[in-house]
Amino acid sequence: MSEALLTGAPRVTARGAGRMTGAVHAEWTKLRTLHSTWWLLLGIVLCTVGVGALTTGSLSAGDCLARRTCDEDTVKLSLTGVWVGQAAMAVFGVLAVTAEYGTGTMRVTLAAIPSRLRVLAAKAVVVAGLAAVVGAVSVLGSLYLGRVLVLDAGFTAEAGYPPIGLGDGATLRAVVGGVLYYVLVALLGVGLGAALRDTAGTLTGVFLLLYGFPLVAAMLSDPDWEKTAKRLSPTEAGLSVLATRNLEALPIGPWAGLGVAASWAVGVLVVGWAVLKGRDA
Amino acid sequence: MDSIDGTVQVRGLRKRFGSVTALDGLSFTVTPGQVTGFVGPNGAGKSTTMRIMLGLDSADAGEALIGGRAYHALRTPLHEVGAMLDASAVHPSRRGRDHLLWLAHSHRIPVRRVDEVLEQVGLASAGRRRAGGYSLGMRQRLGIASALLGDPPVLLFDEPVNGLDPEGIRWIRGFLRSLAREGRTVLVSSHLMSELEDSADHLVVVGRGRVIADTSVRELLATASGDRVSLRTDARTEAMTVLAAAGATVASTGRDTLTVSGPSAEKVVQLLSGAGVPFSEISAHRATLEEAYMELTGDVLEFAAAPVDEEDAR
């Protein structure tokens, strides 16, 4: 072969970690260069903060000024929007994978990066990173608005409600947990997308997982079964991490609940990886 | 430069999709420095073979090796194999240049190389437009640009001519030839032999998942038995007698038309004039690659149409 042949592209021989960096960079460029990514991420913030503000804005301390008679969890209420925003977050994670199958670019991706594990890991890293940033903006934004609105609603220090602030351990747990929950939902989307490949099918699956469980739990008449269903639900268990009061009324402890959501995300990612590795692209 | 061996070897590939056998023990070798045409009817297994070469599909048996190594073992695949399997495999909302950019980032290829290949395929001005607005020809060019990105010694193109306008077809033929002249291995698939007539040096003809012919274009043409002379005459019987006496094979193809195999057109004219047999029209017909190919694949067509009477077809 002639010497002149390979002069066009200076090649950096990437090894080990270098190849993973390249894969992550490629995934980041893929997401960055689609307008839909940024609209979707903006949608997540607006959904979370908007729904949170609606909830706290419509509150009224009204007839429960005495602390013992009314024990509202103002932090959790401020973060109600996570219930809605998680849908958009799941869509974000799902599309990061299924859009590649829909457009046929998955084959281009896998030809450039033959290691299926590296492709899935790179997608997970980039999606998780963006989800963490957007989750933090959403959660902190909701909490800031909530802090103002619950005061307006009468949940004052005199009524037994200290102002919402990150100095409080339980509140900090809710914030960190809420951000992590968003990351886990996005990863759930990535894993399910890799397993199912089809956008419509994956979205149906992820919504059933996120919202179907609580619906089924609510329909179970046996309280033990209901509690078990809630403990297993990625949403019910996972969002218990947002609670700052009445922890004993939760189906599962805050961190344990987040652990359930994490198990779902990891489990689905492993299934997605197995399918990606085992099936023809 | 690393000593990258650009030879592509396919050994005993087998692949089944359910009850359909896509590849049935396919073996051939593609060598550097020439354009190899990979031809066969639709469904012959060309695309499946290329997907296996790129490690996208797994073979039930056999292997495809690039420079002696499986695709999965390549450390920097874009620098070793450039491929365009499907020109439409671009996200329509992404700009053409950005499509190349993420590919470049996966291999830490500098950004200026992206602009170089865009320039090379004639897309420099369209690079900042969204790929969804590209014509088929522009998508083919973008696909080729992505294959060239890593400046690889091996290039695989699946039906690159499909859907191109005549100008685009001429461009791509010249381009394939120039890539081969640079010493690269160039494998181009097509279901139409005529598309490869002016660009391929070597041909691998497949049908029903098997190699039917692995030969140079020149050899294939030489073996084709298509040379013949068509003749229109009112004195059919006399003409047949004269020509048959001279050792030609004559067939009557119509009320006043004959097809003569054996002698050249000049010889036919000479024979008929010498015998005083009148004729009104004579034309020589050289075997084309397409005919040679049809002869080869005639009995292995996967989805053959019912035969049409030749008279009706004309």
Side-chain angles (χ1 to χ4, degrees), chain A residues 45 88 124 150 153 250:
Chain A
V45 175
V150 297
L250 293 171

Side-chain angles (χ1 to χ4, degrees), chain A residues 2 5-8 10-11 15 19 22 25-26 29-30 33-35 103-105 109 111-112 114 116 280-281, chain B residues 1 4 15 51 55-58 71 75 77 79 88-89 94 98 102 105-108 112 130 150-151 153 182 184:
Chain A
S2 71
L5 169 57
L6 300 163
T7 50
R11 55 203 56 217
R15 308 222 172 271
R19 288 190 290 172
H25 195 177
T29 308
K30 266 186 221 170
T33 53
L34 288 178
H35 286 305
T103 57
T105 51
T109 298
R116 313 274 159 115
D280 286 343
Chain B
M1 185 190 105
I4 299 170
K15 176 81 177 173
R51 284 201 303 273
L56 296 172
D57 284 14
S58 60
Y71 196 84
R75 295 197 66 85
H79 288 309
S88 62
R94 194 175 279 130
D98 290 336
W102 72 254
H105 285 157
S106 75
H107 277 56
R108 299 174 163 194
R112 66 175 159 77
R130 293 197 188 187
D151 199 14
E182 290 169 341
R184 296 178 214 255

Side-chain angles (χ1 to χ4, degrees), chain B residues 40-44 191 206-209 212 290 293-307:
Chain B
N42 287 323
H191 62 282
V206 290
R208 287 191 183 165
I212 301 172
E290 189 72 37
Y293 164 64
M294 290 310 285
E295 240 170 70
L296 272 174
T297 58
D299 48 348
V300 292
L301 277 177
E302 182 87 0
F303 307 107

Side-chain angles (χ1 to χ4, degrees), chain A residues 50-145:
Chain A
V51 171
L54 275 177
T55 311
T56 44
S58 62
L59 275 182
S60 168
D63 46 16
C64 55
L65 285 168
R67 186 177 176 175
R68 292 277 163 90
T69 59
C70 175
D71 206 7
E72 291 288 3
D73 188 339
T74 51
V75 170
K76 189 177 177 181
L77 283 171
S78 304
L79 297 175
T80 308
V82 174
W83 270 93
V84 180
Q86 66 171 346
M89 190 56 100
V91 172
F92 169 61
V94 167
L95 285 182
V97 179
T98 60
E100 288 228 50
Y101 281 105
T103 57
T105 51
M106 198 51 157
R107 284 185 178 149
V108 183
T109 298
L110 291 175
I113 306 163
S115 161
R116 313 274 159 115
L117 182 61
R118 199 176 308 136
V119 167
L120 191 63
K123 279 192 187 295
V125 165
V126 173
V127 166
L130 278 171
V133 172
V134 169
V137 172
S138 304
V139 167
L140 291 173
S142 301
L143 217 57
Y144 177 77
L145 264 183

